[in-house]
């Protein structure tokens, strides 16, 4: 059994809740957008930060249903494991491994969505960016749970996990700035 230390358990719980809330908010906004003519989502702030223009694209329902439903389910599992971890319950290695695989798939999906937002849709969804921001730290925490005490390449991955998260943030922020630099600079 692997028991998460308190800091890691709280990160799982709080980040899981943030992802779940963002997914629920996106789902509510999406249903309002499609059921109320003329509705402007609360997350449509300006031409660049506009979840309304993101939600009407094919990429917003890549599997045939709204993407935030994936977040609601996935983050519900994460919140449950986070609560159980906070109270000190340990899990078998296969549960941590399954969580790691799910988060790794989530990071891959988020990277695809970032590309689509920046270069195909030409808009950013604030709620989506909450998920973008929390998925890599979650993967880092679970990576440490699985391989923090290992040897070899997996140990190196666990040791460098926060550097990888910081690099991910830096690259995404740079891409966002470069893609919309004309808009950002016009605000100055």
């Amino acid at each position: 059994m692997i028991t998460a230390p308190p800091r890691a358990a709280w990160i799982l719980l709080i980040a899981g809740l943030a992802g779940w809330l963002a997914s629920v908010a996106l789902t509510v906004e999406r249903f309002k957008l499609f059921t109320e003519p003329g509705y402007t989502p609360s997350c449509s702030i300006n031409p660049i930060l506009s979840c309304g223009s993101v939600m009407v694209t094919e990429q917003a329902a890549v599997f045939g249903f709204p993407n935030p439903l994936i977040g609601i389910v996935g983050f519900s599992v994460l919140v449950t494991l986070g609560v159980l971890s906070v109270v000190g319950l340990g899990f078998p290695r296969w549960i941590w491994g399954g969580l790691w695989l799910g988060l790794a798939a989530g990071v891959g999906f988020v990277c695809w969505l970032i590309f689509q937002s920046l270069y195909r849709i030409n808009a950013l969804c604030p709620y989506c960016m909450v998920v973008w921001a929390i998925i890599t730290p979650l993967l880092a925490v679970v990576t440490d749970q699985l391989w923090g005490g290992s040897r070899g390449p997996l140990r190196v991955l666990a040791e460098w996990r926060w550097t990888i998260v910081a690099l991910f943030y830096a690259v995404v922020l740079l891409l966002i700035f470069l893609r919309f630099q004309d808009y950002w600079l016009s605000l100055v």
Side-chain angles (χ1 to χ4, degrees):
M1 297 294 242
I2 301 173
T3 303
R7 181 174 170 228
W10 280 105
I11 290 172
L12 290 176
L13 177 58
I14 292 168
L17 278 171
W20 185 82
L21 288 170
S23 298
V24 168
L26 263 173
T27 302
V28 169
E29 293 285 350
R30 183 174 171 107
F31 284 118
K32 284 184 180 179
L33 184 68
F34 289 118
T35 59
E36 298 176 21
Y39 178 75
T40 301
S42 63
C43 47
S44 291
I45 300 165
N46 60 41
I48 303 302
L49 297 172
S50 175
C51 64
S53 55
V54 173
M55 283 192 254
V56 297
T57 65
E58 292 177 9
Q59 293 92 329
V62 72
F63 298 109
F65 55 87
N67 294 344
L69 295 177
I70 298 169
I72 289 173
V73 172
F75 288 118
S76 294
V77 170
L78 197 59
V79 167
T80 303
L81 294 175
V83 167
L84 295 173
S85 293
V86 165
V87 298
L89 188 66
F91 304 108
R93 189 170 190 78
W94 68 267
I95 293 214
W96 290 107
L99 184 57
W100 189 91
L101 286 173
L103 288 167
V107 167
F109 189 49
V110 159
C111 288
W112 181 80
L113 290 171
I114 290 169
F115 175 83
Q116 295 299 314
S117 291
L118 292 175
Y119 303 107
R120 299 295 181 262
I121 301 169
N122 301 311
L124 300 170
C125 167
Y127 291 128
C128 299
M129 292 190 309
V130 169
V131 174
W132 300 356
I134 63 172
I135 196 86
T136 50
L138 285 168
L139 184 62
V141 167
V142 176
T143 297
D144 187 46
Q145 293 309 300
L146 274 175
W147 299 305
S150 300
R151 293 186 178 157
L154 296 177
R155 172 70 179 175
V156 172
L157 178 64
E159 286 177 358
W160 285 86
R161 67 194 181 282
W162 294 115
T163 303
I164 295 167
V165 170
L167 184 61
F168 175 83
Y169 284 162
V171 168
V172 171
L173 288 172
L174 180 64
L175 291 173
I176 289 171
F177 174 76
L178 291 175
R179 176 63 186 91
F180 301 113
Q181 67 182 325
D182 292 339
Y183 178 76
W184 304 131
L185 294 174
S186 73
L187 299 175
V188 179

